Amino acid sequence: MPAVKGDGMRGLAVFISDIRNCKSKEAEIKRINKELANIRNKFKGDKTLDGYQKKKYVCKLLFIFLLGHDIDFGHMEAVNLLSSNKYTEKQIGYLFISVLISASSDLMKLVIQSIKNDLGSRNPIHVNLALQCVANIGSREMADTLSSDIPRLLVSGDTIDSVKQSAALTLLKLLRSSHDLIPMGEWTSRIVHLLNDQHMGVVTSAASLIEALVKKNPEEYKGCVSLAVSRLSRIVTSSYTDLQDYTYYFVPAPWLSVKLLRLLQNYPPPEDPSVRTRLTECLETILNKAQEPPKSKKVQHSNAKNAVLFEAINLIIHMDSDPNLLVRACNQLGQFLQHKETNLRYLALESMCLLATSEFSHEAVKKHQDTVITALKTERDVSVRQRAVDLLYAMCDRTNAEEIVGEMLEYLETADYSIREEMVLKVAILAEKYAVDYTWYVDVILNLIRIAGDYVSEEVWYRVIQIVINRDDVQGYAAKTVFEALQAPACHENMVKVGGYILGEFGNLIAGDPRSSPVVQFQLLHSKFHLCGPATRGLLLSTYIKFINLFPEIKPQIQDVLKSDNNMRNPDVELQQRAIEYLQLSSVASQDVLATVLEEMPPFPERESSILAKLKKKKPSSVPEQTEAKEQHRLPAAQMNINAADSQPPPVSVSSPTSSGSAILLELDSAAPTSAPAPSTGSAGYLVDVFDSLGGGGGVVGTSNGLESNGTAAGDEGLRKFILKHNGVLYENDLLQIGIKSEFRQNLARIGVFYGNKTSFQFTNFKADLNTTGPLASALQMTPKTVEPTIDGGAQVQQMFNIECLTEFSQNPTLDMSYIHSGAAQKMTLKLPVFLNKFIEPAEMNSESFFTRWKALSQPSQECQKIFKALFPIDTEQTKAKLIGFGVSILEGIDPNPDNFVSAGILHTRNLQTGCLVRLEPNKQVEMYRLTIRSTKDSVASILGDLLEGQF
């Protein structure tokens, strides 16, 4: 046995040696049981144990526990060690508690009291031991009790640096586990100023803490931006000899640099010009250093250097405001694409995916297209090939779409099975998004089915059918192409589905060719019938009945198939029913009736595709959120929006470009087929109806562009129509159209504002700033997303607002907009249609319950009554529709007077639900209304009364 030196606890060393010398598991257990019995006797019988002996026995118990045996005694002795003034005894006590005592133990109160005593100690070693124990356990009880002691230690001028480091990291642990129990408001400014501390270790620890605090409340800690930039500047401009203690393989303070760069990614670019310039200089310095020859050949040097570089590039991408930095970052990443280190190639591809979504660096990313395609074909690591696919998808635009799609199709034949489905979705999305010639789109989708039919989802083949049906110019080509594809001996079932559907609709377009006569078409499809599943067979039966209408001459052959036992007595109920009904239809109905029933499918309504949503659901990280908005101004006129998740096959946009060639703004969510909209009187093109299926309430006024409009003014009259509806056009003039689409659920809301450029010229420097001043600041919590600074002629961009109702309010938030059109600055301020009634949900109750509550709300402050002249003819159904649009229910049979309307609803705010009762009494003789509203909270009734008055 090795010699034991100093305070080495010889008894513990002997015990460990005995355990190691045991020849069997049984011998080990026997020796452990003997030791446990001895320790138990010592703790129970010997009241004169000194600190050294307690420490030794507690250490033995800890070692036995680490061997996998349960320990059910000795906890009190470990707690007693905490009161010792000797470091080794206190250390063992804290170690035992951290490992063996649970947060719910009865001893925890004693432990917390000992910790509290040590935190107040003048001995920094004792303070550090206590902080380490808190960080190891991190229970809610500890967080609650010590919530003021640890921050005080952190910001105190008397605290030494090592304790400040431990305090910052301990506080970080408590914030992660019990952030609601740590009140940081009073310590905010002092914690932020730790970034200026002279000790780099304190700054490094504080940076981690401040980043966690910023994620919880960015506004409160925004003062850290200038301090972080200042500290970062000092690090990147210093040589590795200036920070000797914190230099890692010739890289000054790499961990702190990375933390500061990550911290800055929680905020937009600094508004202060001096801070912004300094930050730009820092990032340029980091990029310059990346070009310098390495100071060491060791991998640690390159790892540290590249860690700082990649985090700097992430910040550049996040800021997305300096074209020079973005292009330089792209060029730097391009050098890594052929690096021998696999991890660097992977990270470079991943970062370039984000750069490709920026309008400033998109073209720079495209220069590396050939390198990325080579990586796709030659990389050994499948994860790197996956990133290459993602980057090709991100860099694709109208100019390179055909080449990229062709390369992806070629690679798809040999691609790993793990990424085939995602590749299929991406190829389908790109082909649809950038299709100018739709014959190319049809070829791409049919090739997809041929190459990877098993991975082609229903959304993909639904989509190609919708496009073919909606575009007259491609129907004949599609019929010819699928007919040729079906002649292959081995044909995927999805190809049969597409072929059956298209030939059933447009087979007559190729029937004039003897090689694709009606009989040949029918025989070709029927030759696949027995190889397909029930769903495809059902589709083919529908195609056959369509053939009877298109080609009466082959009616007997088709009826023979329908009469066959395989169909008439099929165990699948759906197939049997179709066969019987189609046979009867073909036998009983006249040719005119048959032609009416089986006429060609009408064009599908314009709606967004679900393919992109499916891709996002499969792998969100591969589809950057900004892609759709940032690319919108680059899309061709034939593009179709692809952002909604529809379970059924969503229809396709079929609008043609205007004569001026400007892009079309496509529909967002239409629910019913609409005829093609007529061009507007403006020269720049037209907007397709966004809201026609969602309008309600106060009537819809059709305009020449297919949109309901409140005219060219954005006054109160145009605004108040949104009290009863969620969607519509808020503002329109000769240059700009602004639409609103919103949804509300309890106290939460999401509003989409759509800015449409009606001209053929570009809007630049476009800004839309939210303004919630005064009482609104405490009543509504609104989080806007940034809007694109450039809107091309005929294009449309979207800005989303997430809203939470905190308490009642009567004012509207405003939107301050500015942009430059043809060199002239344009400014305007609009009120956003956010009203208190939007956060009401209808409530149901019987007559007794209603009047009980009505009588209980008898205080003057709880009631609002208004008598006013009817603005519209008094109509029962319209009045009901308006009350429902207001958000309340219609309670039938409550009021003794059947002409009166009684309604109820619940207003949802963050911390309170307010009951609202409404009684509307019309007088048709004098064309007057009396409106009475009562609510459980003062002032709510008055606000709702002001909103509802003027709607009838």
Side-chain angles (χ1 to χ4, degrees), residues 309-544:
L309 174 62
F310 275 102
E311 209 57 59
I313 290 174
N314 286 340
L315 177 57
I316 292 170
I317 295 170
H318 168 77
M319 292 167 58
D320 194 22
S321 59
D322 191 322
N324 179 50
L325 283 177
L326 286 162
V327 172
R328 286 195 61 188
C330 180
N331 295 336
Q332 181 63 53
L333 291 172
Q335 296 176 20
F336 290 141
L337 291 180
Q338 295 176 310
H339 199 279
K340 64 180 181 179
E341 178 63 40
T342 304
N343 288 337
L344 278 180
R345 297 197 300 274
Y346 179 93
L347 291 172
L349 289 166
E350 188 174 48
S351 297
M352 289 183 80
C353 285
L354 299 175
L355 281 171
T357 65
S358 171
E359 60 181 320
F360 301 119
S361 54
H362 183 81
E363 292 300 321
V365 173
K366 284 168 58 178
K367 293 178 182 178
H368 301 282
Q369 179 177 318
D370 293 339
T371 307
V372 178
I373 291 172
T374 302
L376 181 65
K377 296 177 179 178
T378 60
E379 275 289 348
R380 294 183 179 181
D381 192 314
V382 64
S383 62
V384 181
R385 294 198 296 273
Q386 171 69 73
R387 292 281 80 82
V389 171
D390 293 342
L391 180 52
L392 286 173
Y393 175 77
M395 72 166 62
C396 188
D397 62 17
R398 181 169 32 179
T399 62
N400 60 5
E402 291 196 22
E403 183 181 356
I404 286 179
V405 168
E407 293 289 352
M408 292 177 76
L409 278 174
E410 182 182 341
Y411 173 66
L412 191 57
E413 297 194 41
T414 57
D416 298 80
Y417 293 107
S418 59
I419 64 173
R420 282 196 177 189
E421 183 179 359
E422 188 178 331
M423 282 195 68
V424 166
L425 291 174
K426 288 182 173 177
V427 169
I429 289 167
L430 295 178
E432 178 181 351
K433 182 182 285 188
Y434 300 113
V436 178
D437 178 3
Y438 277 93
T439 59
W440 172 74
Y441 171 75
V442 171
D443 288 338
V444 168
I445 300 301
L446 294 184
N447 270 332
L448 270 183
I449 298 173
R450 178 183 60 80
I451 295 169
D454 290 338
Y455 300 92
V456 174
S457 61
E458 289 186 337
E459 288 85 354
V460 175
W461 73 264
Y462 285 167
R463 195 67 174 161
V464 70
I465 286 172
Q466 292 159 6
I467 290 174
V468 170
I469 287 177
N470 284 28
R471 298 194 68 89
D472 296 339
D473 57 336
V474 80
Q475 290 165 358
Y477 179 82
K480 179 173 178 287
T481 307
V482 295
F483 177 78
E484 293 171 353
L486 287 172
Q487 292 176 337
C491 192
H492 195 276
E493 189 168 341
N494 280 338
M495 185 71 79
V496 178
K497 292 177 181 177
V498 175
Y501 201 109
I502 290 177
L503 290 178
E505 294 294 328
F506 310 113
N508 59 310
L509 300 179
I510 60 171
D513 189 333
R515 294 170 295 180
S516 55
S517 65
V519 175
V520 174
Q521 289 185 42
F522 171 67
Q523 290 175 345
L524 178 60
L525 281 175
H526 196 56
S527 67
K528 315 291 183 183
F529 187 86
H530 66 288
L531 302 173
C532 299
T536 307
R537 292 187 184 189
L539 188 149
L540 289 178
L541 290 179
S542 298
T543 299
Y544 297 165

Side-chain angles (χ1 to χ4, degrees), residues 549-568:
N549 180 47
L550 291 177
F551 314 121
E553 64 269 24
I554 61 170
K555 177 177 178 179
Q557 294 172 256
I558 294 175
Q559 286 181 329
D560 290 342
V561 171
L562 295 175
K563 290 176 185 176
S564 67
D565 287 346
N566 286 338
N567 291 321
M568 298 290 285

